[in-house]
Amino acid sequence: MEEPELAAPSGLPTPEPTADPIPESASTATATPTATVEYRLHPKAPKVWTIVASIVAAFPLTGGTITFFALELYWAPPLLAVLAVVVVWLLTRYFRRYARTVSCQLSPLGLLIRRGVWWRAEIFVPRERVQHTDVDQGPLARRFGMASLKVFTAGSEHSQIEIDSLRHSEALAVRDELIDRSVEAMNDGPGDGSAA
Amino acid sequence: MTAAEDTSAAEDNPAVGPVLRLHPFSWLFVLITRLRPFILPAILLLFFGQGSSWELWGAVGAVVLAIYALIYSFGFRYQIAGEELLVREGVIFRTERHVPFSRVQSVVQKRNVLHLLFQVTELRLESAGGTKPEAVMNVIPVAEAERLELLLRHGATTAADSDAGSDLDSASASATEAAAEPLLRLPTSEVLRLGLISNRGWIVVGMFFGLWWQLAPEDWQLWRLAREPLGQLFNIWGADPATALEGLMWLVPIAIGFGLLLKPLSMVMTLLMFHDFRLLRSASRLGAESGLLTRRSASARADRIQRLVMRAPILARLLGRRTLACDVAVQRQDDNADELGRLHWLAPIATPAATDRLIAELDPAMAFADRQWQPLHRDAWRRELKGWVIAALIAGVVLWFPLRHLTVVPVLALLILGWFGSRGWARFAAWSWDGRALSYRAGWLVREWTTALIANGHSASLRESPFDRRRGMATIGLSTQGAGRMLFPLRIPYLPMVTARQLHRELTTTMAAAVAGAVGRSAPTGRSGSRRAS
């Protein structure tokens, strides 16, 4: 690789990459110059995750409380409750930070997913390598109008990439866009039509 | 009617062949395949068992299986219809399956002593998708298998139609052999060298202990035998630190001695597996065959090779040898344990010059030689050393109890080893990207190389851990299809952040373009259609 060409890195040194290093590369590619669309998570995503975490935390909390009452350790349950509140509060903060890092960019080249607070990852999947996609909606997600998008590839790593808590409409948009393109790409062959 | 008669009939109309059956003795092989998991326990029960009702049930099961095998193998039909193979099989539920030749990615043949006796072979056809082989012919005559393989080879490249036709008519094994030029052939001396390098002796040791565990009579059980030496070990442990250290130091020559003792076993194992290894190439297919008692052959379309992995453990390097393996895009990763069950080894052992020549012949773009290797981050060795330091700390904590102040000795030994290990690792570690292929190499005692064409990439990733961020590093990965989990991954760690960013950007743009081109060209890789009828 030619060392002198090392362009100034346009994103990462700043802790919170907001948008962009990819568009410039997109313009150098052979594909059609369609704009890159960036999707972020639903603004309520951290809230929903917190609700889920609270529900999960409630089980050991009640179990612990009952046990402590049975053992007549009456000072323990309040302590447990305080601990639970602190943990949930820390988680909420983490969720908020994490949600801000998640970005899903759809360019003419493919899908670039970026996320992570401490362990950061940027995963790129070319359009033609998307095997199929799933859009899932749980009961909570449906209430808030969000959905999770799963992208499957045939590679042995990242064979399933899940983006949780996108806006439902946007998850569908990404899916439709990916399907359209991959159908276009193999319009001569018997497309396996498994993208659903 | 026998398969041989059918072949002669097929000469009249090569497009739609006659309906063919398996070899008349197929039921025997089907039966053996079905019974294999039970044979060893059955024998053992016979010798060591206390005569329970299980034997009776076993016998009933065997009879049922025998009947099944008979019906199954006599009911199996296949037919060549133009560019596809038609298979009808099943006892109660009949399955009719169309296997287009272009979809067959991998052809595997298996022959053991019994097969050789009957001049037959087991043939398996696999496609890229799915978890089951497309067709398993258990068993057909060798000549018939050769004919089918020939058809497959030429089915993919329809240009050579007339040529294929004449080849088919002769349908003789020798003609096929002549057509395929061996890219590599291992003489026995090389196979023995391979045994010296490899640790396949452990397989035998594992099996031996497994059997012992199952079968040993009461007072020969493993834990009873091990109790006394273990007790002695604990006595040493409990004694003064100096004796404990002496005991610990004895472990080193014992381990080395055991390793040396295993080498003859390894050599026997490799001889069984790799005797007369041949790598053959004909038209677009690449095939490997080997084995002493059980002869196995596996082939795949050369363009389905996704990634190359080269290895040079220290012993191999002393002998001036390397190993070369490949990933083929057949999605059956659960089957990875069976290294001869598909095309995996391109060169189980070869000189560096030979491996370089081999790669050059397969695809010069994947060559390891003449690459512009770039070093990793200059602090990469420190990150590697960290692992050794943590290991030394854990060892120190564990050994503190018996060794006390002498804990310093093993901890220091580990740290010194770690120093050389991480420096050596980082000195050799390097990556290379030339616009077509991404390569990575690393290792200290075991040096490894891997390379993949960007057009075979399925996703590219850039990762950054908090430790990476502290030193301004990142990891670049390229995911390919069918990569074995145990094999050296194409994941380049400890790259300088700036380099990693730029490399990632280049990989994404090049991959998008290359993949778009590649997908347009190659055939779809779906599973072939099948239909079920009762």
Side-chain angles (χ1 to χ4, degrees):
Chain A
M1 166 188 279
E2 307 88 336
E3 285 299 279
E5 266 191 22
L6 287 182
S10 32
L12 210 103
T14 51
E16 227 84 298
T18 42
D20 103 284
I22 292 311
E24 57 171 287
S25 52
S27 63
T28 62
T30 51
T32 47
T34 319
T36 301
V37 191
E38 186 182 19
Y39 298 95
R40 310 308 293 263
L41 294 191
H42 193 287
K44 294 269 170 63
K47 189 177 169 186
V48 172
W49 295 342
T50 309
I51 294 173
V52 173
S54 308
I55 293 169
V56 171
F59 287 102
L61 201 64
T62 24
T65 311
I66 293 168
T67 319
F68 283 130
F69 270 115
L71 294 172
E72 301 188 354
L73 299 168
Y74 297 113
W75 52 269
L79 208 69
L80 206 63
V82 171
L83 192 75
V85 168
V86 170
V87 167
V88 169
W89 179 69
L90 285 175
L91 270 179
T92 313
R93 288 190 48 149
Y94 173 76
F95 287 154
R96 260 193 232 131
R97 258 187 92 183
Y98 179 81
R100 251 180 285 142
T101 66
V102 179
S103 137
C104 171
Q105 287 180 4
L106 193 61
S107 74
L109 300 177
L111 193 64
L112 181 83
I113 293 147
R114 214 184 272 160
R115 62 183 165 198
V117 175
W118 287 300
W119 272 266
R120 291 183 193 156
E122 254 177 61
I123 304 159
F124 173 77
V125 183
R127 278 171 186 275
E128 284 79 5
R129 289 304 195 206
V130 175
Q131 295 288 312
H132 63 113
T133 51
D134 272 358
V135 173
D136 288 343
Q137 251 189 326
L140 256 181
R142 204 171 308 133
R143 200 185 145 74
F144 285 92
M146 43 178 91
S148 83
L149 174 73
K150 279 188 199 146
V151 178
F152 296 85
T153 76
S156 30
E157 255 183 280
H158 311 301
S159 54
Q160 181 188 333
I161 305 163
E162 184 173 1
I163 309 151
D164 200 10
S165 304
L166 282 165
R167 283 187 182 83
H168 186 223
S169 57
E170 292 185 349
L172 291 177
V174 176
R175 184 197 68 179
D176 291 344
E177 171 80 353
L178 283 174
I179 296 169
D180 284 353
R181 291 302 184 111
S182 41
V183 168
E184 249 170 61
M186 52 197 304
N187 51 2
D188 50 346
D192 62 351
S194 59
Chain B
M1 95 181 149
T2 67
E5 289 166 25
D6 293 337
T7 7
S8 58
E11 278 167 29
D12 307 331
N13 185 3
V16 180
V19 178
L20 302 175
R21 294 177 178 206
L22 299 178
H23 190 268
F25 273 101
S26 284
W27 60 271
L28 184 62
F29 293 91
V30 175
L31 186 62
I32 289 172
T33 316
R34 295 276 163 180
L35 280 181
R36 190 172 297 138
F38 309 108
I39 286 175
L40 195 64
I43 292 171
L44 298 175
L45 256 176
L46 217 63
F47 281 98
F48 298 99
Q50 290 90 355
S52 63
S53 62
W54 288 108
E55 286 168 19
L56 186 72
W57 286 115
V60 170
V63 169
V64 171
L65 273 178
I67 294 169
Y68 166 84
L70 251 160
I71 300 176
Y72 174 84
S73 52
F74 281 112
F76 192 102
R77 298 279 188 287
Y78 66 97
Q79 186 177 13
I80 293 153
E83 288 287 290
E84 63 177 22
L85 184 75
L86 212 75
V87 177
R88 281 187 216 102
E89 60 171 337
V91 175
I92 297 166
F93 296 97
R94 299 281 292 172
T95 302
E96 184 180 302
R97 175 169 279 171
H98 296 255
V99 187
F101 290 154
S102 60
R103 291 256 168 92
V104 175
Q105 309 287 5
S106 166
V107 182
V108 180
Q109 273 193 49
K110 202 175 123 187
R111 256 175 279 172
N112 60 28
V113 183
L114 201 62
H115 289 93
L116 292 178
L117 210 70
F118 283 98
Q119 289 274 307
V120 291
T121 180
E122 180 189 320
L123 190 74
R124 262 198 353 236
L125 309 179
E126 296 174 352
S127 72
T131 49
K132 262 172 56 185
E134 291 289 352
V136 181
M137 293 173 200
N138 192 7
V139 294
I140 53 176
V142 172
E144 175 67 8
E146 304 273 4
R147 195 178 73 94
L148 270 173
E149 275 219 59
L150 210 68
L151 253 177
L152 278 171
R153 266 177 215 140
H154 293 279
T157 56
T158 35
D161 244 346
S162 56
D163 219 19
S166 61
D167 268 358
L168 284 178
D169 292 340
S170 68
S172 77
S174 59
T176 332
E177 292 278 299
E181 30 160 333
L183 286 174
L184 184 81
R185 206 174 162 166
L186 292 188
T188 308
S189 59
E190 283 293 287
V191 177
L192 289 177
R193 270 198 198 98
L194 175 60
L196 211 57
I197 295 167
S198 85
N199 292 314
R200 289 188 178 83
W202 284 105
I203 303 173
V204 182
V205 174
M207 270 161 39
F208 173 73
F209 275 113
L211 275 182
W212 192 341
W213 189 259
Q214 293 283 322
L215 303 173
E218 192 71 356
D219 35 322
W220 276 86
Q221 271 174 5
L222 270 184
W223 62 273
R224 271 178 201 252
L225 294 181
R227 201 150 54 173
E228 202 177 326
L230 275 181
Q232 273 181 1
L233 201 69
F234 274 105
N235 281 340
I236 294 175
W237 238 220
D240 64 311
T243 335
L245 185 64
E246 198 185 319
L248 190 69
M249 295 218 290
W250 269 108
L251 284 181
V252 178
I254 288 174
I256 293 174
F258 191 64
L260 287 179
L261 271 177
L262 277 181
K263 288 300 173 189
L265 266 183
S266 281
M267 283 157 115
V268 172
M269 282 299 282
T270 47
L271 209 59
L272 286 175
M273 290 167 73
F274 290 104
H275 173 72
D276 193 23
F277 176 92
R278 281 184 222 186
L279 185 71
L280 304 161
R281 174 174 212 170
S282 71
S284 61
R285 294 193 80 84
L286 199 64
E289 59 172 271
S290 69
L292 187 63
L293 299 180
T294 302
R295 192 103 184 121
R296 310 238 233 168
S297 79
S299 80
R301 267 168 45 195
D303 61 345
R304 297 305 291 175
I305 291 178
Q306 304 288 302
R307 192 170 73 107
L308 294 179
V309 180
M310 192 160 75
R311 260 172 77 90
I314 181 89
L315 267 173
R317 245 156 53 227
L318 290 177
L319 294 171
R321 296 291 186 278
R322 284 169 179 178
T323 72
L324 183 67
C326 68
D327 290 331
V328 175
V330 177
Q331 276 183 336
R332 293 169 60 230
Q333 295 179 348
D334 47 11
D335 230 24
N336 268 348
D338 191 1
E339 57 182 318
L340 295 177
R342 74 171 61 150
L343 184 66
H344 171 74
W345 288 111
L346 295 178
I349 183 168
T351 59
T355 51
D356 285 348
R357 206 182 25 167
L358 204 61
I359 300 170
E361 237 175 278
L362 288 178
D363 190 347
M366 298 230 255
F368 291 108
D370 320 319
R371 267 189 182 278
Q372 293 231 303
W373 292 100
Q374 312 276 331
L376 303 183
H377 194 289
R378 55 192 299 230
D379 285 341
W381 70 276
R382 287 176 205 268
R383 294 286 307 278
E384 277 296 296
L385 186 62
K386 200 182 260 173
W388 288 91
V389 171
I390 292 168
L393 279 177
I394 292 171
V397 170
V398 172
L399 294 175
W400 174 255
F401 165 66
L403 295 183
R404 300 289 154 182
H405 62 280
L406 287 178
T407 313
V408 179
V409 180
V411 168
L412 215 60
L414 264 180
L415 286 179
I416 292 170
L417 206 65
W419 173 272
F420 284 107
S422 45
R423 294 297 286 223
W425 184 92
R427 203 176 310 123
F428 179 66
W431 60 279
S432 158
W433 161 242
D434 59 6
R436 284 190 70 191
L438 182 69
S439 311
Y440 170 54
R441 66 169 201 211
W444 176 44
L445 293 181
V446 180
R447 288 185 172 174
E448 291 178 293
W449 294 255
T450 179
T451 192
L453 294 183
I454 191 72
N456 287 333
H458 280 256
S459 66
S461 65
L462 182 144
R463 297 174 165 278
E464 187 202 19
S465 72
F467 311 105
D468 280 334
R469 208 164 314 130
R470 250 185 62 206
R471 294 191 189 273
M473 297 175 175
T475 301
I476 288 281
L478 182 68
S479 164
T480 53
Q481 208 180 346
R485 272 180 230 290
M486 303 300 284
L487 278 181
F488 191 56
L490 183 43
R491 202 182 299 137
I492 312 168
Y494 315 138
L495 280 172
M497 193 66 215
V498 184
T499 319
R501 284 262 122 214
Q502 204 210 342
L503 180 59
H504 186 59
R505 208 176 311 137
E506 273 186 39
L507 286 181
T508 48
T509 46
T510 336
M511 176 155 74
V515 166
V519 171
R521 262 188 285 113
S522 75
T525 55
R527 246 177 112 66
S528 53
S530 69
R531 204 176 68 202
R532 279 186 131 202
S534 308

